Amino acid sequence: MSLSIQNLTANIGDLPILKGITLEVPKGEVHAIMGKNGSGKSTLAKIMAGHPDYTVTGGDVLMDGRSLFEIAGPDERARAGLFLAFQYPMEIPGVTIANFIRAAIQSRLAEGEELEATDYYANLYAKMDALKIPRAFTSRSVNEGFSGGEKKRCEILQMAMLEPKYAVLDETDSGLDIDALKIVSEGVNALRSPDRGFLVITHYQRLLDYIVPDRVHVMVDGRIAMSGDKNLALELEARGYDWVTETAAEPALA
Amino acid sequence: MITAPESPAVIETNPFPHWFQREQAAALADYESTPAPTRRDEAWRFASLKALDLSAFVPAPEIASEGKLINASTGLGDFAARFVFGNNALVHHEAPALPEGVIVEPLDVAAYEHEALFRAYFMAQPVELGSHKYARLHKAMLTGGVLVHVPKNVEVALPIELFYWVEGENSSVFPHTLIVLGDNAKVTVIDHFKSADGARAFACGINDFHLGRGSQLTYAAVQDWSRDTLAFHLNSTLVGRDATATALLANFGGGYVRGESLSKLAHDGGRSVMLSMNLADGTREIDQHTLQDHAAKHASSDLLYQNVVDDAARTIFAGIIRVQEGESQTDAYQRVRNLLLTDDAIAVSMPGLEILNDDVRCTHGATSGGLDPDELFYMQARGISKKLAARLIVAGRFNSLVERIDNEALRDRLRAVIADRLGV
Ligand SMILES: Nc1ncnc2c1ncn2[C@@H]1O[C@H](COP(=O)(O)OP(=O)(O)OP(=O)(O)O)[C@@H](O)[C@H]1O
Ligand SMILES: [Mg+2]
């Protein structure tokens, strides 16, 4: 059981962005992706989630053996168990957090099955409390007027409520203050389980002190140039991306 | 359709005093001699004029399903008064929480018992935005409607809720809500316009508001006539010194719907907030004309219309901000947002300014666009289908308008109406 990305290539228009990505996140593991601005990290995340702007030109992504590309819409992929925490969460004026998450959960229920309101709110409040999101946020419009850090916390809240099989977190740590980073990391760690895999995109090694990854991958120009254990993040911090480009030609680290 | 008021049939059922019946007869003659709108009339340039054919409509019969309608006339949990009209006749009324001195009476009763008020305020504002012919017809045919009068310094804590039902094929109804506020009075009123059976009907309604000095009116109308109904809703608001009117007009039903809204800021410090949410789907046409008429200093008006156009429907918006000469330090805003959900959907927007003064701050503008694909993707990435996401976005736009209403019970009620209408 894994999220298995196999030699994935993708274009935007005629421009190749992903140039053959292979990596596998087994259930129960946390993998980190680091890489320069523009190297294709968000593109990978959005393609897996089903963003319509990209064209997959080759390769596959298998979620527990099932090709994501055989699951038509982004909504179906999400219901099948994939979650993407957005680097830039969208604002939805007039739709409250409570109603939005409720609609998302309701969408996962069988026809005619109704979400029980009191249970739902009890669950929502418990998770908001854990993420130190004030309860008053339930009646605020999704992301509208939220600070950068508040948006990221709400992404994690949505993940916690939707309980995905695999979660891709795209720079969820950016914009978080030190306390929030801890709270969000605890939120993610609380969800770590043998039944769930994480792909964590980040620029900062510090996050990986809190969410300790099983593997770290470095993306350069649409490819995974290097993979290693959690120490790779430290090494990267010390040596910078040029070191990766230079050594990428050599056989990868273990 | 028209039965002349002289004919015994009408005299018998006409509940108004004779002096008013004579005015009605004159109004009918005026209606008949007023030419029907043509394409050459600026106010009707884009309207589907063939929708205005009244020949099939008949006077509404007595309501058949009175009990059912009364039971269906539920909205607010707590209200100061509730009146229910079925085919122009008052079928139910209760007033559990009206403060001393507040009048909520059917217009025919008011014409006898509060004649001075009735004479002073009933249709006292001219209908200027194109539908004067239909205003005359309204007056001629009127039998129902309500007068709300809140005297000086009285505040009605709970909202007043009015239901206007129409029943039967080709029935004609003439709803009328007249609100008169004394100085520093405060009230919240909601009108519901509903079809009992989904049959095609003709509705020609008038809402007139008169706000005394320092008074505050919060008003909402939820128009949910049947899909084939020809509807006119003619609104005028006269804002007194330092008074504030907030009106939210929701158009969720009807076939061809003509809305005219005039806010006259005739006294210094007045404020009028004009909000509208319009859901045009199927082949519905919602044709709205507004005037923010500034004839005083330090007055402000703020108009925001949210149009959602689906299928092969159409919305038309023509709005004018008029600032009369010598009236300085005016703030006037006018904004129309059109959300087009299909390629066949059409939204025509014609904002306009007539400014005869330079010490004014006016902004106006109209924007049109489809759903934001990134917003849709974000919602889909949570497992929400594209269809539901679109409905949530529409409900969200409407709910953002509801936030501007200062009464919590009314906000809750409107949110529930929106959620129900959009199935979210
Ligand atoms: N819609 C688009 N049109 C043109 N180019 C695009 C589009 N989307 C992405 N790209 C390009 O694809 C490349 C990869 O972008 P992507 O957002 O995946 O980078 P990233 O690794 O997430 O960067 P960052 O660390 O800054 O978030 C960039 O060069 C970007 O400009
Ligand atoms: Mg990115």
Side-chain angles (χ1 to χ4, degrees), chain A residues 49-51 74-75 78-79 83-84 86 90-95 100 104 107-108 143 155 158, chain B residues 337 372-375 377-386 388 392-393 395-397 399-400:
Chain A
H51 195 289
D75 51 322
R79 294 196 295 269
F83 181 86
L84 170 59
F86 281 59
M90 298 299 297
E91 298 183 1
I92 314 172
V95 179
F100 182 56
S107 297
R108 287 160 169 77
N143 294 320
E155 293 292 287
Q158 292 171 45
Chain B
R337 293 188 67 198
D372 176 352
D374 284 314
E375 205 173 322
F377 174 64
Y378 181 70
M379 299 173 85
Q380 285 181 280
R382 299 297 174 250
I384 296 169
S385 72
K386 202 170 187 167
L388 179 57
L392 281 166
I393 289 170
R397 285 209 176 190
N399 282 330
S400 300

Side-chain angles (χ1 to χ4, degrees), chain B residues 1-5 28 31-32 54 57-59 137 140-141 174 202:
Chain B
M1 65 165 287
I2 303 310
T3 326
L28 186 65
Y31 161 73
E32 281 167 348
L54 303 186
F57 298 113
V58 295
L137 178 63
M141 303 303 289
F174 302 90
F202 172 52

Side-chain angles (χ1 to χ4, degrees), chain B residues 138-219:
Chain B
H138 171 94
K139 182 172 181 181
M141 303 303 289
L142 186 76
T143 56
V146 171
L147 166 69
V148 174
H149 175 244
V150 184
K152 191 172 170 173
N153 297 329
V154 174
E155 189 172 316
V156 186
L158 292 171
I160 293 169
E161 197 166 29
L162 309 173
F163 288 85
Y164 294 98
W165 292 90
V166 64
E167 185 188 77
E169 191 74 25
N170 291 322
S171 286
S172 307
V173 289
F174 302 90
H176 195 118
T177 300
L178 172 60
I179 302 172
V180 181
L181 301 188
D183 292 352
N184 303 312
K186 188 173 175 187
V187 73
T188 300
V189 178
I190 179 167
D191 276 343
H192 291 275
F193 302 105
K194 291 166 90 88
S195 156
D197 51 11
R200 170 178 155 83
F202 172 52
C204 183
I206 285 189
N207 301 324
D208 277 354
F209 310 143
H210 298 263
L211 281 77
R213 181 172 183 158
S215 65
Q216 291 176 55
L217 169 66
T218 302
Y219 172 80

Side-chain angles (χ1 to χ4, degrees), chain A residues 89-115:
Chain A
M90 298 299 297
E91 298 183 1
I92 314 172
V95 179
T96 64
I97 299 265
N99 284 345
F100 182 56
I101 299 178
R102 187 169 35 187
I105 296 176
Q106 184 72 50
S107 297
R108 287 160 169 77
L109 301 181
E111 189 98 22
E113 202 181 330
E114 276 291 324
L115 189 60

Side-chain angles (χ1 to χ4, degrees), chain A residues 12 15 17 35-44 46 53-54 87-88 170-171 203:
Chain A
I12 182 141
L15 183 72
I17 311 259
K36 274 192 184 180
N37 294 132
S39 57
K41 305 178 298 295
S42 295
T43 302
L44 172 65
K46 286 193 265 184
D53 283 359
Y54 304 91
Q87 182 174 0
Y88 303 110
D170 192 355
E171 294 197 28
H203 285 295

Side-chain angles (χ1 to χ4, degrees), chain A residues 80-213:
Chain A
L82 185 69
F83 181 86
L84 170 59
F86 281 59
Q87 182 174 0
Y88 303 110
M90 298 299 297
E91 298 183 1
I92 314 172
V95 179
T96 64
I97 299 265
N99 284 345
F100 182 56
I101 299 178
R102 187 169 35 187
I105 296 176
Q106 184 72 50
S107 297
R108 287 160 169 77
L109 301 181
E111 189 98 22
E113 202 181 330
E114 276 291 324
L115 189 60
E116 220 285 296
T118 36
D119 294 348
Y120 167 69
Y121 274 98
N123 186 16
L124 182 65
Y125 286 145
K127 287 181 167 143
M128 291 178 80
D129 293 351
L131 289 164
K132 298 213 162 57
I133 300 172
R135 290 186 179 187
F137 268 62
T138 48
S139 57
R140 285 184 60 178
S141 295
V142 177
N143 294 320
E144 198 181 37
F146 286 21
S147 74
E150 288 166 348
K151 285 183 185 171
K152 297 306 174 79
R153 266 192 244 194
C154 273
E155 293 292 287
I156 299 305
L157 172 66
Q158 292 171 45
M159 176 176 75
M161 291 296 290
L162 296 175
E163 302 178 340
K165 290 188 184 129
Y166 295 94
V168 181
L169 311 186
D170 192 355
E171 294 197 28
T172 301
D173 54 332
S174 68
L176 293 180
D177 65 42
I178 304 158
D179 292 347
L181 184 67
K182 280 189 195 157
I183 294 162
V184 163
S185 303
E186 280 163 18
V188 172
N189 287 332
L191 287 169
R192 284 180 83 154
S193 99
D195 298 328
R196 189 169 289 134
F198 289 89
L199 192 57
V200 177
I201 298 169
T202 183
H203 285 295
Y204 303 105
Q205 187 277 327
R206 199 182 50 193
L207 174 72
L208 305 178
D209 287 341
Y210 295 108
I211 305 174
V212 181

